[in-house]
């Protein structure tokens, strides 16, 4: 089968780490530790595992971070190389898998928790907090926090992979493949809305209007009693989508502090040496801010625009930032990673996400998904790196396509 494979390349990773963030083209250029190869389809000969034929697999910000070397080496102990990336997967079953017959169209919850690994549930899994599993490096398959980072399972950027019954969610008839592709990122957004801890009437800031920020906006609007939801967007098409998905107002990054100051009556302070400091900040501000980018600038905007005692949610894979405000303003800085089976009052994040992507707003959003065959991976990655500018929200591979 054809597959894109991420391989160990220390010098390339180091080069990527040094310049990846600043030179986007490098992502898909000579230094990218990715190659198109022909592999034997993966197999896991254990109960509950089945083969899947990929229909669509998305490119996520965390994939781009991994390929450009921007991702922290912290994660190197949680993957098994070489692996096939791709954790946003729409596929069809090639085998019967317990109650699901071959041919069923499914989406994959990528977290490789205790159930998939064939080990006794850890304390987190026993509580339904599968995204907090502590056994992600042991059991029936190699280390890997998720499908798409594990050598044995394969990933979505290929023609076939394997997944465990505990990871599979059947796709309802009425959903297009493009809508189904958004179920996994939507499930993460459902979990983010849980982690945001929003109380009735809270003012919320969402910094970033890529797929993560837009779907989080929808989840916050539908699953919480948030009052004003202010979304920070760089591009015009993101502005329209954010409003459609539930934003009260959309601002540019430059306008953000001024706008929050105006609506909350906060004071704005200007530290000395603005070039050297992390810039102006507020005393007062929103109740909850969500960094949906993972850049230093976006995270600092969140830290600087949140009232004392408020909450900052790390939704993008975070960059280093000046944490002075977190200390001085006693902010609750919380992470939000993947999604869990216990989310949405035990309904499960994937079930709730499947409901949400069926709505009109996401149906329209899904029409802008840009699809590439595997062999055009360099173009696909460059496109994914510039989705905001190019008017798309999600780029995906269709491994069935050869054109
Ligand atoms: Zn576990």
């Amino acid at each position: 089968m054809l597959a894109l494979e991420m391989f160990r390349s220390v010098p390339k990773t180091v080069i990527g780490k040094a310049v990846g963030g600043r030179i986007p083209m490098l992502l898909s250029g000579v230094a990218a530790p990715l190659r198109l190869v022909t592999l034997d389809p993966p197999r896991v000969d254990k109960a509950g595992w089945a083969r899947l034929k990929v229909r669509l697999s998305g490119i996520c910000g965390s994939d781009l971070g991994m390929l450009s070397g921007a991702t922290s080496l912290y994660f190197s102990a949680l993957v098994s190389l070489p692996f096939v990336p791709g954790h946003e997967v729409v596929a069809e079953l090639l085998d019967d898998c317990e109650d699901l017959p071959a041919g069923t169209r499914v989406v994959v919850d990528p977290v490789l928790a205790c159930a998939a690994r064939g080990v006794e549930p850890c304390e987190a899994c026993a509580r339904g907090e599968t995204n907090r599993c502590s056994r992600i490096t042991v059991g029936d398959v190699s280390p890997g926090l998720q499908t798409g980072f594990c050598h044995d399972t394969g990933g979505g950027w290929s023609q076939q992979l394997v997944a465990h019954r505990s990871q599979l969610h059947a796709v309802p008839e009425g959903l297009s493949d493009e809508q189904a592709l958004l179920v996994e990122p939507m499930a993460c957004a459902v979990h983010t809305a849980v982690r945001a801890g929003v109380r009735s009437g809270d003012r919320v800031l969402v910094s970033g209007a890529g797929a993560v920020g837009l779907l989080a906006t929808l989840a916050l609007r539908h699953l919480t009693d948030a009052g004003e939801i202010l979304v920070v967007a760089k591009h015009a098409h993101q502005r329209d989508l954010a409003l459609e998905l539930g934003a009260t107002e959309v601002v540019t990054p430059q306008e953000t502090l001024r706008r929050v100051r105006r609506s909350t009556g906060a004071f704005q302070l200007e530290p000395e040496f603005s070039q050297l400091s992390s810039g102006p900040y507020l005393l007062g501000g929103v109740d909850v801010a969500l960094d949906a980018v993972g850049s230093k600038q976006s995270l600092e905007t969140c830290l600087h625009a949140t009232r004392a005692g408020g909450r900052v949610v790390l939704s993008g894979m975070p960059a280093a930032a000046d944490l002075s405000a977190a200390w001085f303003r006693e902010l609750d800085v919380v992470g939000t990673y993947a999604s869990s089976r216990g989310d949405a009052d035990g309904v499960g994040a994937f079930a709730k996400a499947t409901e949400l992507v069926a709505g009109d707003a996401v149906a329209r959003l899904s029409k802008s998904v840009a699809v590439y065959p595997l062999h055009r991976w360099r173009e696909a990655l460059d496109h994914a790196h510039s989705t905001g500018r190019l008017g798309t929200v999600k780029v995906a591979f269709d491994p069935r396509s050869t054109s």
Side-chain angles (χ1 to χ4, degrees), residues 199 264 266-267 281-288 302-312 324-332:
R199 284 172 300 191
T264 61
F267 292 104
Y281 60 86
L282 301 182
L283 295 180
V286 297
D287 302 294
V288 177
C302 291
L303 292 164
H304 292 175
T306 305
R307 66 164 170 82
R311 180 173 283 208
V312 171
S324 304
W327 175 74
F328 177 57
R329 300 275 86 194
E330 297 198 330
L331 302 177
D332 291 330

Side-chain angles (χ1 to χ4, degrees), residues 48-113:
W49 286 84
R51 296 172 305 146
L52 274 64
K53 180 184 172 194
V54 181
R55 295 169 70 90
L56 283 180
S57 182
I59 301 172
C60 160
S62 63
D63 298 319
L64 297 177
M66 188 77 77
L67 289 168
S68 67
T71 301
S72 166
L73 287 171
Y74 175 95
F75 294 100
S76 60
L78 299 170
V79 304
S80 44
L81 285 157
F83 62 78
V84 177
H87 59 274
E88 298 174 358
V89 183
V90 184
E92 60 196 54
L93 277 171
L94 290 173
D95 306 309
D96 294 338
C97 189
E98 298 179 3
D99 55 319
L100 299 176
T104 304
R105 195 164 55 126
V106 293
V107 289
V108 177
D109 176 349
V111 175
L112 288 166

Side-chain angles (χ1 to χ4, degrees), residues 112-115 119-126 129-130 132-136:
L112 288 166
C114 288
V119 297
E120 283 297 307
C122 67
E123 287 182 19
C125 283
E129 297 167 353
T130 42
R132 295 182 175 180
C133 178
S134 55
R135 308 262 192 271
I136 50 178

